[in-house]
Amino acid sequence: MMGLRRVKILLLQARNLNDPMKEHEFACFVEKTGLESDQIISFDLLQGPPQKSDIKYMDAIMVGGSGEFDVSKENLPFYFDFIEFLNASVSRGTPMFASCFGYQCLVMALGGRIFRDENATEVGVYPLQLTQEGKKDPLFEAFPETFLGCMGHKDRTIEQPGGIPNLVSSDLCPFQALRIPGKPIWATQFHPELDQKTNLDRFNHYMKEYSVNMDEKGVQETLARYSMDVKDTPRLLPRFLELVFG
C-alpha cells in the first residue's frame, strides 16, 4: 500500500478566482485530510475539466463545493464537459471523494436528478442519520447512527442514481451520501472538510446568497445552528485516505 506522505490529490474547485473562499476551501481540505499542502493540487474548474496530463501523476480526486455556481442552474462554465469527466473517472475507478457541489455533479453524472428546493435548504450544522446501507459501509461503519454535519446548499438530490446505495439521510434531504459499489468513490452532500467554525466563515462570506429568502429572525436562527460541535464528519477524509491508500 502507498504511504500517505506520497499521495497526491487533485482538488477540483468551482470558485471565482477573486473569491477568498477558494483559498479557504483549499486550506480546509489540507487540514482535514492531514496531508501536507504540497500533496494537494488545486484545479480551477472554471477553465474546464482536467485533461489526462492534469491527472497523470495524481492518486485521487477530491471535489469541493461552489460559490456562485449551482447544479440546478447548470451555470458552471463547461458544466457538461465536467459531467462527462466525472463519468469517465467513475468508469476508470479513479479514487474520489466529492462533497456538496461535487456530490450533486456526481449524482447527475450517474443518472440521478438534482432539484432547486428552497424549502429544503440546509445552512449550518444539522443532524444526519446513517441508513442501513451506511451502517455497513467501510467509511461510515464506525460512526454513531446519528451525527452532525456541516451544510450549505439549496439544491438537493430528488432521485438517487440507479444501483447506487444512499448511505446517509437528514430530515429535509433524504439523500446525503453515496458510494459507487466496488469502487473507491464516495460523495457527500454535507462538508467533511469543514467544522462549525470554517462553515460559519463560509456562511458569513456568502451571507447575501444564503439569506436571500430570510428575514432577520431567519438569519439569527441560522447563525444559532453553527453553535453545535461537529465531531464525527471531520474523520471522513482521513478515513477515506486510509481505506484507499493504507
Side-chain angles (χ1 to χ4, degrees), residues 52-100:
K52 288 184 179 179
S53 58
D54 298 314
I55 62 175
K56 184 176 181 179
Y57 300 107
M58 297 295 108
D59 302 301
I61 294 168
M62 292 186 178
V63 190
S66 64
E68 301 173 17
F69 306 102
D70 302 280
V71 173
S72 61
K73 298 178 182 178
E74 300 175 351
N75 59 353
L76 174 74
F78 307 101
Y79 168 76
F80 293 103
D81 294 331
F82 179 48
I83 296 299
E84 289 183 12
F85 167 82
L86 290 176
N87 244 322
S89 298
V90 170
S91 296
R92 288 193 298 267
T94 305
M96 184 188 308
F97 195 110
S99 66
C100 197

mmCIF file of all heavy atoms in Angstrom, residues 52-100:
data_model
loop_
_atom_site.group_PDB
_atom_site.id
_atom_site.type_symbol
_atom_site.label_atom_id
_atom_site.label_comp_id
_atom_site.label_asym_id
_atom_site.label_seq_id
_atom_site.Cartn_x
_atom_site.Cartn_y
_atom_site.Cartn_z
ATOM 1 N N LYS A 52 -5.954 14.608 -19.380
ATOM 2 C CA LYS A 52 -5.120 13.480 -18.963
ATOM 3 C C LYS A 52 -3.811 13.947 -18.354
ATOM 4 O O LYS A 52 -3.320 13.367 -17.379
ATOM 5 C CB LYS A 52 -4.861 12.559 -20.151
ATOM 6 C CG LYS A 52 -6.074 11.756 -20.589
ATOM 7 C CD LYS A 52 -5.716 10.800 -21.720
ATOM 8 C CE LYS A 52 -6.935 9.982 -22.140
ATOM 9 N NZ LYS A 52 -6.610 9.057 -23.254
ATOM 10 N N SER A 53 -3.243 15.003 -18.905
ATOM 11 C CA SER A 53 -1.966 15.492 -18.390
ATOM 12 C C SER A 53 -2.100 16.062 -16.980
ATOM 13 O O SER A 53 -1.140 16.044 -16.208
ATOM 14 C CB SER A 53 -1.394 16.566 -19.324
ATOM 15 O OG SER A 53 -2.309 17.652 -19.464
ATOM 16 N N ASP A 54 -3.303 16.558 -16.632
ATOM 17 C CA ASP A 54 -3.520 17.134 -15.306
ATOM 18 C C ASP A 54 -3.610 16.066 -14.227
ATOM 19 O O ASP A 54 -3.287 16.318 -13.062
ATOM 20 C CB ASP A 54 -4.809 17.966 -15.290
ATOM 21 C CG ASP A 54 -4.773 19.136 -16.245
ATOM 22 O OD1 ASP A 54 -3.761 19.850 -16.268
ATOM 23 O OD2 ASP A 54 -5.760 19.332 -16.977
ATOM 24 N N ILE A 55 -4.083 14.887 -14.591
ATOM 25 C CA ILE A 55 -4.297 13.838 -13.591
ATOM 26 C C ILE A 55 -3.275 12.708 -13.699
ATOM 27 O O ILE A 55 -3.333 11.753 -12.926
ATOM 28 C CB ILE A 55 -5.723 13.250 -13.690
ATOM 29 C CG1 ILE A 55 -5.955 12.600 -15.056
ATOM 30 C CG2 ILE A 55 -6.767 14.330 -13.446
ATOM 31 C CD1 ILE A 55 -7.286 11.899 -15.175
ATOM 32 N N LYS A 56 -2.326 12.850 -14.604
ATOM 33 C CA LYS A 56 -1.371 11.772 -14.870
ATOM 34 C C LYS A 56 -0.648 11.315 -13.607
ATOM 35 O O LYS A 56 -0.454 10.118 -13.390
ATOM 36 C CB LYS A 56 -0.370 12.215 -15.936
ATOM 37 C CG LYS A 56 0.615 11.133 -16.351
ATOM 38 C CD LYS A 56 1.517 11.630 -17.475
ATOM 39 C CE LYS A 56 2.499 10.545 -17.907
ATOM 40 N NZ LYS A 56 3.377 11.021 -19.022
ATOM 41 N N TYR A 57 -0.238 12.268 -12.787
ATOM 42 C CA TYR A 57 0.550 11.927 -11.602
ATOM 43 C C TYR A 57 -0.260 12.054 -10.310
ATOM 44 O O TYR A 57 0.303 12.064 -9.221
ATOM 45 C CB TYR A 57 1.792 12.820 -11.533
ATOM 46 C CG TYR A 57 2.692 12.666 -12.740
ATOM 47 C CD1 TYR A 57 2.764 13.661 -13.701
ATOM 48 C CD2 TYR A 57 3.441 11.502 -12.917
ATOM 49 C CE1 TYR A 57 3.576 13.513 -14.819
ATOM 50 C CE2 TYR A 57 4.256 11.347 -14.033
ATOM 51 C CZ TYR A 57 4.318 12.361 -14.973
ATOM 52 O OH TYR A 57 5.123 12.204 -16.077
ATOM 53 N N MET A 58 -1.570 12.129 -10.434
ATOM 54 C CA MET A 58 -2.428 12.242 -9.261
ATOM 55 C C MET A 58 -2.916 10.851 -8.828
ATOM 56 O O MET A 58 -3.175 9.988 -9.669
ATOM 57 C CB MET A 58 -3.634 13.126 -9.571
ATOM 58 C CG MET A 58 -3.294 14.577 -9.912
ATOM 59 S SD MET A 58 -2.569 15.508 -8.545
ATOM 60 C CE MET A 58 -0.859 15.648 -9.125
ATOM 61 N N ASP A 59 -3.047 10.662 -7.531
ATOM 62 C CA ASP A 59 -3.505 9.382 -6.998
ATOM 63 C C ASP A 59 -5.002 9.357 -6.727
ATOM 64 O O ASP A 59 -5.612 8.284 -6.689
ATOM 65 C CB ASP A 59 -2.762 9.063 -5.695
ATOM 66 C CG ASP A 59 -1.258 9.015 -5.903
ATOM 67 O OD1 ASP A 59 -0.811 8.188 -6.720
ATOM 68 O OD2 ASP A 59 -0.543 9.812 -5.266
ATOM 69 N N ALA A 60 -5.588 10.528 -6.519
ATOM 70 C CA ALA A 60 -7.021 10.600 -6.225
ATOM 71 C C ALA A 60 -7.520 11.997 -6.562
ATOM 72 O O ALA A 60 -6.749 12.942 -6.712
ATOM 73 C CB ALA A 60 -7.300 10.285 -4.758
ATOM 74 N N ILE A 61 -8.836 12.085 -6.666
ATOM 75 C CA ILE A 61 -9.512 13.354 -6.936
ATOM 76 C C ILE A 61 -10.412 13.678 -5.758
ATOM 77 O O ILE A 61 -11.078 12.802 -5.210
ATOM 78 C CB ILE A 61 -10.361 13.257 -8.224
ATOM 79 C CG1 ILE A 61 -9.459 13.076 -9.445
ATOM 80 C CG2 ILE A 61 -11.262 14.481 -8.398
ATOM 81 C CD1 ILE A 61 -10.225 12.680 -10.701
ATOM 82 N N MET A 62 -10.419 14.943 -5.363
ATOM 83 C CA MET A 62 -11.415 15.445 -4.433
ATOM 84 C C MET A 62 -12.116 16.623 -5.094
ATOM 85 O O MET A 62 -11.497 17.385 -5.843
ATOM 86 C CB MET A 62 -10.788 15.855 -3.099
ATOM 87 C CG MET A 62 -10.267 14.668 -2.310
ATOM 88 S SD MET A 62 -9.660 15.097 -0.645
ATOM 89 C CE MET A 62 -9.201 13.451 -0.066
ATOM 90 N N VAL A 63 -13.407 16.742 -4.854
ATOM 91 C CA VAL A 63 -14.203 17.820 -5.447
ATOM 92 C C VAL A 63 -14.857 18.591 -4.319
ATOM 93 O O VAL A 63 -15.491 17.999 -3.437
ATOM 94 C CB VAL A 63 -15.284 17.292 -6.403
ATOM 95 C CG1 VAL A 63 -15.913 18.454 -7.177
ATOM 96 C CG2 VAL A 63 -14.719 16.249 -7.357
ATOM 97 N N GLY A 64 -14.705 19.908 -4.331
ATOM 98 C CA GLY A 64 -15.262 20.734 -3.271
ATOM 99 C C GLY A 64 -16.645 21.267 -3.601
ATOM 100 O O GLY A 64 -17.330 20.772 -4.502
ATOM 101 N N GLY A 65 -17.031 22.289 -2.851
ATOM 102 C CA GLY A 65 -18.321 22.933 -3.060
ATOM 103 C C GLY A 65 -18.216 23.971 -4.170
ATOM 104 O O GLY A 65 -17.364 23.881 -5.058
ATOM 105 N N SER A 66 -19.090 24.967 -4.115
ATOM 106 C CA SER A 66 -19.049 26.026 -5.130
ATOM 107 C C SER A 66 -19.505 27.327 -4.496
ATOM 108 O O SER A 66 -20.187 27.340 -3.477
ATOM 109 C CB SER A 66 -19.945 25.679 -6.321
ATOM 110 O OG SER A 66 -21.297 25.622 -5.916
ATOM 111 N N GLY A 67 -19.121 28.412 -5.095
ATOM 112 C CA GLY A 67 -19.537 29.713 -4.602
ATOM 113 C C GLY A 67 -20.811 30.176 -5.276
ATOM 114 O O GLY A 67 -21.890 30.118 -4.710
ATOM 115 N N GLU A 68 -20.692 30.580 -6.512
ATOM 116 C CA GLU A 68 -21.822 31.169 -7.227
ATOM 117 C C GLU A 68 -22.397 30.227 -8.287
ATOM 118 O O GLU A 68 -23.133 30.673 -9.172
ATOM 119 C CB GLU A 68 -21.375 32.478 -7.874
ATOM 120 C CG GLU A 68 -20.858 33.501 -6.855
ATOM 121 C CD GLU A 68 -20.268 34.726 -7.512
ATOM 122 O OE1 GLU A 68 -20.541 34.946 -8.712
ATOM 123 O OE2 GLU A 68 -19.530 35.456 -6.837
ATOM 124 N N PHE A 69 -22.083 28.955 -8.204
ATOM 125 C CA PHE A 69 -22.495 28.014 -9.241
ATOM 126 C C PHE A 69 -23.406 26.948 -8.649
ATOM 127 O O PHE A 69 -23.175 26.448 -7.550
ATOM 128 C CB PHE A 69 -21.261 27.392 -9.892
ATOM 129 C CG PHE A 69 -20.300 28.419 -10.413
ATOM 130 C CD1 PHE A 69 -19.142 28.732 -9.714
ATOM 131 C CD2 PHE A 69 -20.583 29.115 -11.577
ATOM 132 C CE1 PHE A 69 -18.270 29.703 -10.176
ATOM 133 C CE2 PHE A 69 -19.720 30.094 -12.050
ATOM 134 C CZ PHE A 69 -18.562 30.393 -11.350
ATOM 135 N N ASP A 70 -24.464 26.612 -9.415
ATOM 136 C CA ASP A 70 -25.476 25.669 -8.942
ATOM 137 C C ASP A 70 -25.717 24.598 -10.002
ATOM 138 O O ASP A 70 -25.857 24.908 -11.187
ATOM 139 C CB ASP A 70 -26.801 26.397 -8.673
ATOM 140 C CG ASP A 70 -26.645 27.515 -7.664
ATOM 141 O OD1 ASP A 70 -26.612 27.207 -6.466
ATOM 142 O OD2 ASP A 70 -26.558 28.684 -8.075
ATOM 143 N N VAL A 71 -25.810 23.355 -9.542
ATOM 144 C CA VAL A 71 -26.075 22.260 -10.471
ATOM 145 C C VAL A 71 -27.439 22.440 -11.129
ATOM 146 O O VAL A 71 -27.605 22.210 -12.331
ATOM 147 C CB VAL A 71 -25.983 20.908 -9.743
ATOM 148 C CG1 VAL A 71 -26.434 19.768 -10.660
ATOM 149 C CG2 VAL A 71 -24.560 20.656 -9.262
ATOM 150 N N SER A 72 -28.437 22.873 -10.351
ATOM 151 C CA SER A 72 -29.785 23.036 -10.904
ATOM 152 C C SER A 72 -29.830 24.085 -12.012
ATOM 153 O O SER A 72 -30.677 24.025 -12.895
ATOM 154 C CB SER A 72 -30.766 23.412 -9.795
ATOM 155 O OG SER A 72 -30.403 24.640 -9.193
ATOM 156 N N LYS A 73 -28.919 25.046 -11.968
ATOM 157 C CA LYS A 73 -28.881 26.105 -12.984
ATOM 158 C C LYS A 73 -27.900 25.794 -14.109
ATOM 159 O O LYS A 73 -27.871 26.510 -15.118
ATOM 160 C CB LYS A 73 -28.507 27.438 -12.338
ATOM 161 C CG LYS A 73 -29.507 27.922 -11.299
ATOM 162 C CD LYS A 73 -29.042 29.228 -10.656
ATOM 163 C CE LYS A 73 -30.016 29.698 -9.589
ATOM 164 N NZ LYS A 73 -29.571 30.954 -8.911
ATOM 165 N N GLU A 74 -27.082 24.771 -13.911
ATOM 166 C CA GLU A 74 -26.085 24.373 -14.908
ATOM 167 C C GLU A 74 -25.233 25.570 -15.330
ATOM 168 O O GLU A 74 -24.879 25.710 -16.503
ATOM 169 C CB GLU A 74 -26.760 23.720 -16.121
ATOM 170 C CG GLU A 74 -27.562 22.476 -15.769
ATOM 171 C CD GLU A 74 -28.334 21.899 -16.933
ATOM 172 O OE1 GLU A 74 -28.395 22.556 -18.000
ATOM 173 O OE2 GLU A 74 -28.906 20.797 -16.798
ATOM 174 N N ASN A 75 -24.894 26.430 -14.350
ATOM 175 C CA ASN A 75 -24.225 27.684 -14.691
ATOM 176 C C ASN A 75 -22.718 27.662 -14.487
ATOM 177 O O ASN A 75 -22.060 28.700 -14.627
ATOM 178 C CB ASN A 75 -24.845 28.853 -13.912
ATOM 179 C CG ASN A 75 -24.755 28.683 -12.401
ATOM 180 O OD1 ASN A 75 -24.347 27.632 -11.903
ATOM 181 N ND2 ASN A 75 -25.156 29.706 -11.667
ATOM 182 N N LEU A 76 -22.153 26.505 -14.164
ATOM 183 C CA LEU A 76 -20.696 26.394 -14.149
ATOM 184 C C LEU A 76 -20.200 26.353 -15.589
ATOM 185 O O LEU A 76 -20.714 25.570 -16.395
ATOM 186 C CB LEU A 76 -20.265 25.111 -13.428
ATOM 187 C CG LEU A 76 -18.764 24.801 -13.452
ATOM 188 C CD1 LEU A 76 -18.025 25.735 -12.511
ATOM 189 C CD2 LEU A 76 -18.494 23.346 -13.093
ATOM 190 N N PRO A 77 -19.219 27.194 -15.952
ATOM 191 C CA PRO A 77 -18.656 27.064 -17.305
ATOM 192 C C PRO A 77 -18.172 25.636 -17.554
ATOM 193 O O PRO A 77 -17.613 25.006 -16.662
ATOM 194 C CB PRO A 77 -17.476 28.051 -17.270
ATOM 195 C CG PRO A 77 -17.830 29.055 -16.219
ATOM 196 C CD PRO A 77 -18.594 28.284 -15.173
ATOM 197 N N PHE A 78 -18.414 25.139 -18.742
ATOM 198 C CA PHE A 78 -18.008 23.773 -19.128
ATOM 199 C C PHE A 78 -18.692 22.719 -18.257
ATOM 200 O O PHE A 78 -18.148 21.632 -18.029
ATOM 201 C CB PHE A 78 -16.484 23.613 -19.034
ATOM 202 C CG PHE A 78 -15.715 24.658 -19.790
ATOM 203 C CD1 PHE A 78 -15.135 25.738 -19.121
ATOM 204 C CD2 PHE A 78 -15.573 24.575 -21.162
ATOM 205 C CE1 PHE A 78 -14.432 26.708 -19.813
ATOM 206 C CE2 PHE A 78 -14.859 25.539 -21.864
ATOM 207 C CZ PHE A 78 -14.289 26.605 -21.187
ATOM 208 N N TYR A 79 -19.905 23.028 -17.782
ATOM 209 C CA TYR A 79 -20.603 22.120 -16.864
ATOM 210 C C TYR A 79 -20.748 20.712 -17.462
ATOM 211 O O TYR A 79 -20.417 19.711 -16.814
ATOM 212 C CB TYR A 79 -21.985 22.688 -16.522
ATOM 213 C CG TYR A 79 -22.902 21.709 -15.827
ATOM 214 C CD1 TYR A 79 -22.739 21.394 -14.483
ATOM 215 C CD2 TYR A 79 -23.934 21.076 -16.527
ATOM 216 C CE1 TYR A 79 -23.576 20.479 -13.847
ATOM 217 C CE2 TYR A 79 -24.779 20.166 -15.898
ATOM 218 C CZ TYR A 79 -24.597 19.876 -14.559
ATOM 219 O OH TYR A 79 -25.415 18.964 -13.936
ATOM 220 N N PHE A 80 -21.240 20.603 -18.679
ATOM 221 C CA PHE A 80 -21.491 19.291 -19.271
ATOM 222 C C PHE A 80 -20.183 18.545 -19.552
ATOM 223 O O PHE A 80 -20.135 17.312 -19.466
ATOM 224 C CB PHE A 80 -22.344 19.426 -20.535
ATOM 225 C CG PHE A 80 -23.740 19.890 -20.250
ATOM 226 C CD1 PHE A 80 -24.115 21.204 -20.491
ATOM 227 C CD2 PHE A 80 -24.678 19.031 -19.692
ATOM 228 C CE1 PHE A 80 -25.405 21.643 -20.203
ATOM 229 C CE2 PHE A 80 -25.968 19.456 -19.409
ATOM 230 C CZ PHE A 80 -26.329 20.770 -19.661
ATOM 231 N N ASP A 81 -19.119 19.283 -19.859
ATOM 232 C CA ASP A 81 -17.812 18.645 -20.014
ATOM 233 C C ASP A 81 -17.355 18.057 -18.681
ATOM 234 O O ASP A 81 -16.747 16.979 -18.641
ATOM 235 C CB ASP A 81 -16.782 19.649 -20.514
ATOM 236 C CG ASP A 81 -17.063 20.134 -21.921
ATOM 237 O OD1 ASP A 81 -17.656 19.366 -22.699
ATOM 238 O OD2 ASP A 81 -16.698 21.278 -22.242
ATOM 239 N N PHE A 82 -17.650 18.764 -17.592
ATOM 240 C CA PHE A 82 -17.274 18.259 -16.267
ATOM 241 C C PHE A 82 -18.069 16.999 -15.922
ATOM 242 O O PHE A 82 -17.520 16.048 -15.367
ATOM 243 C CB PHE A 82 -17.495 19.346 -15.214
ATOM 244 C CG PHE A 82 -17.153 18.908 -13.814
ATOM 245 C CD1 PHE A 82 -15.962 18.264 -13.535
ATOM 246 C CD2 PHE A 82 -18.028 19.150 -12.767
ATOM 247 C CE1 PHE A 82 -15.638 17.860 -12.246
ATOM 248 C CE2 PHE A 82 -17.721 18.753 -11.474
ATOM 249 C CZ PHE A 82 -16.522 18.105 -11.214
ATOM 250 N N ILE A 83 -19.351 16.998 -16.254
ATOM 251 C CA ILE A 83 -20.164 15.806 -16.016
ATOM 252 C C ILE A 83 -19.591 14.611 -16.783
ATOM 253 O O ILE A 83 -19.500 13.493 -16.256
ATOM 254 C CB ILE A 83 -21.632 16.056 -16.424
ATOM 255 C CG1 ILE A 83 -22.253 17.157 -15.535
ATOM 256 C CG2 ILE A 83 -22.446 14.769 -16.341
ATOM 257 C CD1 ILE A 83 -22.285 16.837 -14.067
ATOM 258 N N GLU A 84 -19.170 14.834 -18.012
ATOM 259 C CA GLU A 84 -18.560 13.757 -18.797
ATOM 260 C C GLU A 84 -17.248 13.302 -18.163
ATOM 261 O O GLU A 84 -16.934 12.104 -18.143
ATOM 262 C CB GLU A 84 -18.316 14.231 -20.232
ATOM 263 C CG GLU A 84 -19.589 14.398 -21.052
ATOM 264 C CD GLU A 84 -19.301 14.806 -22.483
ATOM 265 O OE1 GLU A 84 -18.118 14.741 -22.891
ATOM 266 O OE2 GLU A 84 -20.247 15.195 -23.185
ATOM 267 N N PHE A 85 -16.478 14.246 -17.642
ATOM 268 C CA PHE A 85 -15.227 13.901 -16.959
ATOM 269 C C PHE A 85 -15.497 13.003 -15.756
ATOM 270 O O PHE A 85 -14.794 12.008 -15.531
ATOM 271 C CB PHE A 85 -14.509 15.176 -16.519
ATOM 272 C CG PHE A 85 -13.391 14.928 -15.548
ATOM 273 C CD1 PHE A 85 -12.142 14.534 -15.997
ATOM 274 C CD2 PHE A 85 -13.588 15.074 -14.177
ATOM 275 C CE1 PHE A 85 -11.101 14.279 -15.097
ATOM 276 C CE2 PHE A 85 -12.565 14.834 -13.275
ATOM 277 C CZ PHE A 85 -11.316 14.431 -13.736
ATOM 278 N N LEU A 86 -16.522 13.336 -14.962
ATOM 279 C CA LEU A 86 -16.856 12.518 -13.797
ATOM 280 C C LEU A 86 -17.276 11.111 -14.225
ATOM 281 O O LEU A 86 -16.881 10.118 -13.595
ATOM 282 C CB LEU A 86 -17.962 13.183 -12.984
ATOM 283 C CG LEU A 86 -17.584 14.451 -12.239
ATOM 284 C CD1 LEU A 86 -18.813 15.057 -11.560
ATOM 285 C CD2 LEU A 86 -16.497 14.191 -11.201
ATOM 286 N N ASN A 87 -18.057 11.040 -15.292
ATOM 287 C CA ASN A 87 -18.461 9.728 -15.811
ATOM 288 C C ASN A 87 -17.249 8.890 -16.194
ATOM 289 O O ASN A 87 -17.172 7.698 -15.875
ATOM 290 C CB ASN A 87 -19.367 9.919 -17.030
ATOM 291 C CG ASN A 87 -20.765 9.406 -16.797
ATOM 292 O OD1 ASN A 87 -20.961 8.375 -16.160
ATOM 293 N ND2 ASN A 87 -21.748 10.117 -17.300
ATOM 294 N N ALA A 88 -16.304 9.503 -16.883
ATOM 295 C CA ALA A 88 -15.101 8.789 -17.298
ATOM 296 C C ALA A 88 -14.268 8.373 -16.092
ATOM 297 O O ALA A 88 -13.694 7.281 -16.066
ATOM 298 C CB ALA A 88 -14.264 9.660 -18.239
ATOM 299 N N SER A 89 -14.211 9.233 -15.066
ATOM 300 C CA SER A 89 -13.447 8.916 -13.860
ATOM 301 C C SER A 89 -14.059 7.739 -13.123
ATOM 302 O O SER A 89 -13.347 6.869 -12.606
ATOM 303 C CB SER A 89 -13.387 10.140 -12.937
ATOM 304 O OG SER A 89 -12.722 11.218 -13.560
ATOM 305 N N VAL A 90 -15.397 7.692 -13.083
ATOM 306 C CA VAL A 90 -16.077 6.554 -12.456
ATOM 307 C C VAL A 90 -15.784 5.282 -13.240
ATOM 308 O O VAL A 90 -15.500 4.224 -12.656
ATOM 309 C CB VAL A 90 -17.592 6.812 -12.369
ATOM 310 C CG1 VAL A 90 -18.334 5.541 -11.957
ATOM 311 C CG2 VAL A 90 -17.880 7.945 -11.376
ATOM 312 N N SER A 91 -15.839 5.362 -14.548
ATOM 313 C CA SER A 91 -15.567 4.185 -15.381
ATOM 314 C C SER A 91 -14.157 3.658 -15.150
ATOM 315 O O SER A 91 -13.932 2.438 -15.122
ATOM 316 C CB SER A 91 -15.757 4.525 -16.863
ATOM 317 O OG SER A 91 -17.103 4.851 -17.133
ATOM 318 N N ARG A 92 -13.201 4.566 -14.962
ATOM 319 C CA ARG A 92 -11.815 4.157 -14.703
ATOM 320 C C ARG A 92 -11.618 3.676 -13.271
ATOM 321 O O ARG A 92 -10.620 3.028 -12.960
ATOM 322 C CB ARG A 92 -10.864 5.322 -14.976
ATOM 323 C CG ARG A 92 -10.681 5.672 -16.442
ATOM 324 C CD ARG A 92 -9.508 6.613 -16.615
ATOM 325 N NE ARG A 92 -9.729 7.873 -15.916
ATOM 326 C CZ ARG A 92 -10.261 8.968 -16.464
ATOM 327 N NH1 ARG A 92 -10.647 8.938 -17.732
ATOM 328 N NH2 ARG A 92 -10.417 10.070 -15.776
ATOM 329 N N GLY A 93 -12.534 4.026 -12.379
ATOM 330 C CA GLY A 93 -12.375 3.662 -10.977
ATOM 331 C C GLY A 93 -11.373 4.529 -10.250
ATOM 332 O O GLY A 93 -10.785 4.102 -9.250
ATOM 333 N N THR A 94 -11.179 5.756 -10.722
ATOM 334 C CA THR A 94 -10.253 6.681 -10.067
ATOM 335 C C THR A 94 -10.725 6.968 -8.647
ATOM 336 O O THR A 94 -11.878 7.365 -8.455
ATOM 337 C CB THR A 94 -10.175 8.005 -10.849
ATOM 338 O OG1 THR A 94 -9.816 7.738 -12.206
ATOM 339 C CG2 THR A 94 -9.154 8.947 -10.214
ATOM 340 N N PRO A 95 -9.893 6.799 -7.628
ATOM 341 C CA PRO A 95 -10.320 7.135 -6.265
ATOM 342 C C PRO A 95 -10.796 8.579 -6.185
ATOM 343 O O PRO A 95 -10.167 9.491 -6.726
ATOM 344 C CB PRO A 95 -9.044 6.933 -5.438
ATOM 345 C CG PRO A 95 -8.264 5.901 -6.199
ATOM 346 C CD PRO A 95 -8.535 6.213 -7.650
ATOM 347 N N MET A 96 -11.949 8.765 -5.516
ATOM 348 C CA MET A 96 -12.549 10.095 -5.498
ATOM 349 C C MET A 96 -13.365 10.302 -4.221
ATOM 350 O O MET A 96 -14.017 9.373 -3.742
ATOM 351 C CB MET A 96 -13.469 10.275 -6.719
ATOM 352 C CG MET A 96 -14.086 11.668 -6.847
ATOM 353 S SD MET A 96 -15.357 11.780 -8.178
ATOM 354 C CE MET A 96 -14.469 11.101 -9.573
ATOM 355 N N PHE A 97 -13.310 11.522 -3.717
ATOM 356 C CA PHE A 97 -14.243 11.957 -2.675
ATOM 357 C C PHE A 97 -14.761 13.322 -3.103
ATOM 358 O O PHE A 97 -13.989 14.251 -3.330
ATOM 359 C CB PHE A 97 -13.578 12.056 -1.306
ATOM 360 C CG PHE A 97 -14.576 12.140 -0.184
ATOM 361 C CD1 PHE A 97 -14.744 11.084 0.692
ATOM 362 C CD2 PHE A 97 -15.396 13.253 -0.025
ATOM 363 C CE1 PHE A 97 -15.697 11.128 1.710
ATOM 364 C CE2 PHE A 97 -16.343 13.315 0.971
ATOM 365 C CZ PHE A 97 -16.499 12.260 1.847
ATOM 366 N N ALA A 98 -16.077 13.439 -3.211
ATOM 367 C CA ALA A 98 -16.709 14.690 -3.638
ATOM 368 C C ALA A 98 -17.690 15.158 -2.578
ATOM 369 O O ALA A 98 -18.432 14.351 -2.014
ATOM 370 C CB ALA A 98 -17.436 14.483 -4.971
ATOM 371 N N SER A 99 -17.694 16.459 -2.302
ATOM 372 C CA SER A 99 -18.624 16.984 -1.300
ATOM 373 C C SER A 99 -19.478 18.101 -1.898
ATOM 374 O O SER A 99 -19.052 18.825 -2.786
ATOM 375 C CB SER A 99 -17.874 17.499 -0.064
ATOM 376 O OG SER A 99 -17.076 18.619 -0.346
ATOM 377 N N CYS A 100 -20.704 18.206 -1.413
ATOM 378 C CA CYS A 100 -21.683 19.253 -1.739
ATOM 379 C C CYS A 100 -21.867 19.397 -3.256
ATOM 380 O O CYS A 100 -22.477 18.547 -3.891
ATOM 381 C CB CYS A 100 -21.290 20.573 -1.086
ATOM 382 S SG CYS A 100 -22.664 21.757 -1.015
#
